PDB file of all heavy atoms in Angstrom:
ATOM      1  N   LEU A 260       8.530  26.397 -23.454  1.00 98.00           N
ATOM      2  CA  LEU A 260       9.268  26.736 -22.343  1.00 98.00           C
ATOM      3  C   LEU A 260       8.913  25.888 -21.217  1.00 98.00           C
ATOM      4  O   LEU A 260       9.721  25.347 -20.436  1.00 98.00           O
ATOM      5  CB  LEU A 260       9.122  28.259 -21.935  1.00 98.00           C
ATOM      6  CG  LEU A 260       9.768  28.615 -20.678  1.00 98.00           C
ATOM      7  CD1 LEU A 260      11.371  28.623 -20.885  1.00 98.00           C
ATOM      8  CD2 LEU A 260       9.301  30.014 -20.172  1.00 98.00           C
ATOM      9  N   ILE A 261       7.561  25.744 -20.942  1.00 98.00           N
ATOM     10  CA  ILE A 261       7.035  24.963 -19.823  1.00 98.00           C
ATOM     11  C   ILE A 261       7.396  23.448 -19.883  1.00 98.00           C
ATOM     12  O   ILE A 261       7.844  22.871 -18.943  1.00 98.00           O
ATOM     13  CB  ILE A 261       5.531  25.166 -19.644  1.00 98.00           C
ATOM     14  CG1 ILE A 261       5.210  26.576 -19.291  1.00 98.00           C
ATOM     15  CG2 ILE A 261       4.972  24.257 -18.584  1.00 98.00           C
ATOM     16  CD1 ILE A 261       3.750  26.936 -19.369  1.00 98.00           C
ATOM     17  N   THR A 262       7.194  22.923 -21.107  1.00 98.00           N
ATOM     18  CA  THR A 262       7.382  21.550 -21.244  1.00 98.00           C
ATOM     19  C   THR A 262       8.677  21.037 -21.549  1.00 98.00           C
ATOM     20  O   THR A 262       9.002  19.775 -21.281  1.00 98.00           O
ATOM     21  CB  THR A 262       6.300  20.936 -22.258  1.00 98.00           C
ATOM     22  OG1 THR A 262       6.604  21.563 -23.486  1.00 98.00           O
ATOM     23  CG2 THR A 262       4.801  21.275 -21.856  1.00 98.00           C
ATOM     24  N   THR A 263       9.593  21.849 -22.153  1.00 98.00           N
ATOM     25  CA  THR A 263      10.929  21.362 -22.452  1.00 98.00           C
ATOM     26  C   THR A 263      11.958  22.116 -21.519  1.00 98.00           C
ATOM     27  O   THR A 263      12.983  21.609 -21.467  1.00 98.00           O
ATOM     28  CB  THR A 263      11.354  21.818 -23.936  1.00 98.00           C
ATOM     29  OG1 THR A 263      11.417  23.040 -24.103  1.00 98.00           O
ATOM     30  CG2 THR A 263      10.216  21.192 -24.871  1.00 98.00           C
ATOM     31  N   GLY A 264      11.510  23.130 -20.989  1.00 98.00           N
ATOM     32  CA  GLY A 264      12.421  23.865 -19.966  1.00 98.00           C
ATOM     33  C   GLY A 264      13.373  24.810 -20.685  1.00 98.00           C
ATOM     34  O   GLY A 264      14.291  25.472 -20.137  1.00 98.00           O
ATOM     35  N   LYS A 265      13.146  25.102 -22.000  1.00 98.00           N
ATOM     36  CA  LYS A 265      14.215  25.954 -22.704  1.00 98.00           C
ATOM     37  C   LYS A 265      13.483  26.586 -23.977  1.00 98.00           C
ATOM     38  O   LYS A 265      12.618  26.036 -24.553  1.00 98.00           O
ATOM     39  CB  LYS A 265      15.372  25.137 -23.293  1.00 98.00           C
ATOM     40  CG  LYS A 265      16.526  25.905 -23.788  1.00 98.00           C
ATOM     41  CD  LYS A 265      17.642  25.068 -24.170  1.00 98.00           C
ATOM     42  CE  LYS A 265      18.814  25.941 -24.509  1.00 98.00           C
ATOM     43  NZ  LYS A 265      20.091  25.141 -24.774  1.00 98.00           N
ATOM     44  N   LEU A 266      13.756  27.896 -24.128  1.00 98.00           N
ATOM     45  CA  LEU A 266      13.254  28.613 -25.270  1.00 98.00           C
ATOM     46  C   LEU A 266      14.385  29.379 -25.842  1.00 98.00           C
ATOM     47  O   LEU A 266      14.927  30.311 -25.248  1.00 98.00           O
ATOM     48  CB  LEU A 266      12.119  29.581 -24.755  1.00 98.00           C
ATOM     49  CG  LEU A 266      11.229  30.161 -25.878  1.00 98.00           C
ATOM     50  CD1 LEU A 266      11.934  31.160 -26.677  1.00 98.00           C
ATOM     51  CD2 LEU A 266      10.595  28.991 -26.790  1.00 98.00           C
ATOM     52  N   LEU A 267      14.852  29.135 -27.166  1.00 97.00           N
ATOM     53  CA  LEU A 267      16.011  29.775 -27.787  1.00 97.00           C
ATOM     54  C   LEU A 267      15.738  31.072 -28.280  1.00 97.00           C
ATOM     55  O   LEU A 267      14.514  31.383 -28.574  1.00 97.00           O
ATOM     56  CB  LEU A 267      16.472  28.820 -28.850  1.00 97.00           C
ATOM     57  CG  LEU A 267      16.983  27.353 -28.479  1.00 97.00           C
ATOM     58  CD1 LEU A 267      17.338  26.625 -29.691  1.00 97.00           C
ATOM     59  CD2 LEU A 267      18.066  27.420 -27.476  1.00 97.00           C
ATOM     60  N   THR A 268      16.604  31.880 -28.461  1.00 97.00           N
ATOM     61  CA  THR A 268      16.559  33.237 -28.986  1.00 97.00           C
ATOM     62  C   THR A 268      16.041  33.197 -30.495  1.00 97.00           C
ATOM     63  O   THR A 268      15.521  34.176 -31.097  1.00 97.00           O
ATOM     64  CB  THR A 268      17.806  33.992 -28.968  1.00 97.00           C
ATOM     65  OG1 THR A 268      18.881  33.295 -29.639  1.00 97.00           O
ATOM     66  CG2 THR A 268      18.150  34.328 -27.471  1.00 97.00           C
ATOM     67  N   SER A 269      16.092  32.000 -31.153  1.00 97.00           N
ATOM     68  CA  SER A 269      15.769  31.844 -32.554  1.00 97.00           C
ATOM     69  C   SER A 269      14.289  31.519 -32.625  1.00 97.00           C
ATOM     70  O   SER A 269      13.705  31.430 -33.772  1.00 97.00           O
ATOM     71  CB  SER A 269      16.519  30.746 -33.143  1.00 97.00           C
ATOM     72  OG  SER A 269      16.489  29.491 -32.420  1.00 97.00           O
ATOM     73  N   HIS A 270      13.552  31.226 -31.543  1.00 97.00           N
ATOM     74  CA  HIS A 270      12.157  30.954 -31.653  1.00 97.00           C
ATOM     75  C   HIS A 270      11.380  32.075 -32.071  1.00 97.00           C
ATOM     76  O   HIS A 270      11.612  33.260 -31.816  1.00 97.00           O
ATOM     77  CB  HIS A 270      11.626  30.418 -30.268  1.00 97.00           C
ATOM     78  CG  HIS A 270      10.361  29.750 -30.273  1.00 97.00           C
ATOM     79  ND1 HIS A 270       9.191  30.427 -30.205  1.00 97.00           N
ATOM     80  CD2 HIS A 270      10.026  28.530 -30.247  1.00 97.00           C
ATOM     81  CE1 HIS A 270       8.011  29.695 -30.350  1.00 97.00           C
ATOM     82  NE2 HIS A 270       8.638  28.349 -30.298  1.00 97.00           N
ATOM     83  N   GLU A 271      10.233  31.689 -32.757  1.00 96.00           N
ATOM     84  CA  GLU A 271       9.394  32.766 -33.293  1.00 96.00           C
ATOM     85  C   GLU A 271       8.840  33.646 -32.270  1.00 96.00           C
ATOM     86  O   GLU A 271       8.448  34.842 -32.650  1.00 96.00           O
ATOM     87  CB  GLU A 271       8.285  32.107 -34.264  1.00 96.00           C
ATOM     88  CG  GLU A 271       7.422  32.945 -34.929  1.00 96.00           C
ATOM     89  CD  GLU A 271       6.453  32.254 -35.801  1.00 96.00           C
ATOM     90  OE1 GLU A 271       6.713  31.259 -36.470  1.00 96.00           O
ATOM     91  OE2 GLU A 271       5.197  32.660 -35.911  1.00 96.00           O
ATOM     92  N   HIS A 272       8.721  33.156 -31.139  1.00 97.00           N
ATOM     93  CA  HIS A 272       8.151  34.028 -30.140  1.00 97.00           C
ATOM     94  C   HIS A 272       9.112  34.764 -29.166  1.00 97.00           C
ATOM     95  O   HIS A 272       8.726  35.530 -28.234  1.00 97.00           O
ATOM     96  CB  HIS A 272       7.061  33.165 -29.253  1.00 97.00           C
ATOM     97  CG  HIS A 272       5.810  32.910 -29.874  1.00 97.00           C
ATOM     98  ND1 HIS A 272       4.924  31.909 -29.314  1.00 97.00           N
ATOM     99  CD2 HIS A 272       5.300  33.360 -30.926  1.00 97.00           C
ATOM    100  CE1 HIS A 272       3.885  31.859 -30.084  1.00 97.00           C
ATOM    101  NE2 HIS A 272       4.105  32.713 -31.110  1.00 97.00           N
ATOM    102  N   HIS A 273      10.359  34.483 -29.526  1.00 98.00           N
ATOM    103  CA  HIS A 273      11.403  35.512 -28.703  1.00 98.00           C
ATOM    104  C   HIS A 273      11.309  36.712 -29.305  1.00 98.00           C
ATOM    105  O   HIS A 273      11.115  36.928 -30.569  1.00 98.00           O
ATOM    106  CB  HIS A 273      12.812  34.866 -28.916  1.00 98.00           C
ATOM    107  CG  HIS A 273      13.809  35.536 -28.083  1.00 98.00           C
ATOM    108  ND1 HIS A 273      14.376  36.795 -28.446  1.00 98.00           N
ATOM    109  CD2 HIS A 273      14.298  35.161 -26.903  1.00 98.00           C
ATOM    110  CE1 HIS A 273      15.105  37.091 -27.522  1.00 98.00           C
ATOM    111  NE2 HIS A 273      15.219  36.039 -26.499  1.00 98.00           N
ATOM    112  N   PRO A 274      11.505  37.864 -28.445  1.00 97.00           N
ATOM    113  CA  PRO A 274      11.173  39.168 -28.985  1.00 97.00           C
ATOM    114  C   PRO A 274      12.233  39.589 -30.156  1.00 97.00           C
ATOM    115  O   PRO A 274      11.819  40.404 -30.920  1.00 97.00           O
ATOM    116  CB  PRO A 274      11.439  40.067 -27.770  1.00 97.00           C
ATOM    117  CG  PRO A 274      12.170  39.227 -26.860  1.00 97.00           C
ATOM    118  CD  PRO A 274      11.626  37.851 -27.091  1.00 97.00           C
ATOM    119  N   ALA A 275      13.401  39.041 -30.072  1.00 97.00           N
ATOM    120  CA  ALA A 275      14.328  39.406 -31.205  1.00 97.00           C
ATOM    121  C   ALA A 275      13.792  38.926 -32.553  1.00 97.00           C
ATOM    122  O   ALA A 275      14.037  39.658 -33.623  1.00 97.00           O
ATOM    123  CB  ALA A 275      15.703  38.712 -31.007  1.00 97.00           C
ATOM    124  N   VAL A 276      13.121  37.802 -32.613  1.00 97.00           N
ATOM    125  CA  VAL A 276      12.450  37.327 -33.988  1.00 97.00           C
ATOM    126  C   VAL A 276      11.141  37.985 -34.130  1.00 97.00           C
ATOM    127  O   VAL A 276      10.863  38.459 -35.205  1.00 97.00           O
ATOM    128  CB  VAL A 276      12.345  35.785 -33.897  1.00 97.00           C
ATOM    129  CG1 VAL A 276      11.703  35.243 -35.078  1.00 97.00           C
ATOM    130  CG2 VAL A 276      13.690  35.171 -33.532  1.00 97.00           C
ATOM    131  N   LEU A 277      10.308  37.912 -33.134  1.00 97.00           N
ATOM    132  CA  LEU A 277       9.008  38.613 -33.298  1.00 97.00           C
ATOM    133  C   LEU A 277       9.018  39.959 -33.767  1.00 97.00           C
ATOM    134  O   LEU A 277       8.213  40.354 -34.624  1.00 97.00           O
ATOM    135  CB  LEU A 277       8.141  38.346 -31.959  1.00 97.00           C
ATOM    136  CG  LEU A 277       6.662  38.768 -32.069  1.00 97.00           C
ATOM    137  CD1 LEU A 277       5.919  37.746 -32.886  1.00 97.00           C
ATOM    138  CD2 LEU A 277       6.166  38.802 -30.602  1.00 97.00           C
ATOM    139  N   ARG A 278       9.884  40.807 -33.148  1.00 97.00           N
ATOM    140  CA  ARG A 278       9.980  42.196 -33.369  1.00 97.00           C
ATOM    141  C   ARG A 278      10.955  42.541 -34.408  1.00 97.00           C
ATOM    142  O   ARG A 278      11.256  43.750 -34.678  1.00 97.00           O
ATOM    143  CB  ARG A 278      10.117  43.000 -32.057  1.00 97.00           C
ATOM    144  CG  ARG A 278       9.094  42.748 -31.061  1.00 97.00           C
ATOM    145  CD  ARG A 278       9.318  43.235 -29.697  1.00 97.00           C
ATOM    146  NE  ARG A 278       8.309  42.805 -28.805  1.00 97.00           N
ATOM    147  CZ  ARG A 278       7.496  43.622 -28.120  1.00 97.00           C
ATOM    148  NH1 ARG A 278       7.602  44.965 -28.120  1.00 97.00           N
ATOM    149  NH2 ARG A 278       6.531  43.169 -27.286  1.00 97.00           N
ATOM    150  N   LYS A 279      11.704  41.532 -34.971  1.00 97.00           N
ATOM    151  CA  LYS A 279      12.614  41.703 -36.011  1.00 97.00           C
ATOM    152  C   LYS A 279      13.677  42.784 -35.692  1.00 97.00           C
ATOM    153  O   LYS A 279      14.006  43.673 -36.432  1.00 97.00           O
ATOM    154  CB  LYS A 279      11.893  42.140 -37.384  1.00 97.00           C
ATOM    155  CG  LYS A 279      10.914  41.138 -37.806  1.00 97.00           C
ATOM    156  CD  LYS A 279      10.196  41.515 -39.057  1.00 97.00           C
ATOM    157  CE  LYS A 279       9.385  40.392 -39.736  1.00 97.00           C
ATOM    158  NZ  LYS A 279       8.297  40.077 -38.819  1.00 97.00           N
ATOM    159  N   ASN A 280      14.237  42.517 -34.435  1.00 96.00           N
ATOM    160  CA  ASN A 280      15.320  43.379 -33.993  1.00 96.00           C
ATOM    161  C   ASN A 280      16.416  42.612 -33.186  1.00 96.00           C
ATOM    162  O   ASN A 280      16.113  42.119 -32.220  1.00 96.00           O
ATOM    163  CB  ASN A 280      14.761  44.512 -33.126  1.00 96.00           C
ATOM    164  CG  ASN A 280      15.658  45.677 -32.867  1.00 96.00           C
ATOM    165  OD1 ASN A 280      16.887  45.372 -32.599  1.00 96.00           O
ATOM    166  ND2 ASN A 280      15.215  46.940 -32.985  1.00 96.00           N
ATOM    167  N   THR A 281      17.485  42.588 -33.828  1.00 95.00           N
ATOM    168  CA  THR A 281      18.713  41.657 -33.234  1.00 95.00           C
ATOM    169  C   THR A 281      19.140  42.197 -32.009  1.00 95.00           C
ATOM    170  O   THR A 281      19.745  41.506 -31.216  1.00 95.00           O
ATOM    171  CB  THR A 281      19.742  41.542 -34.361  1.00 95.00           C
ATOM    172  OG1 THR A 281      20.194  42.877 -34.580  1.00 95.00           O
ATOM    173  CG2 THR A 281      19.384  40.870 -35.528  1.00 95.00           C
TER     174      THR A 281
END
Side-chain angles (χ1 to χ4, degrees):
L260 176 68
I261 295 172
T262 59
T263 72
K265 191 170 186 178
L266 197 289
L267 301 179
T268 58
S269 58
H270 190 280
E271 188 174 318
H272 284 171
H273 189 279
V276 178
L277 185 71
R278 300 173 187 237
K279 298 179 173 61
N280 194 312
T281 56

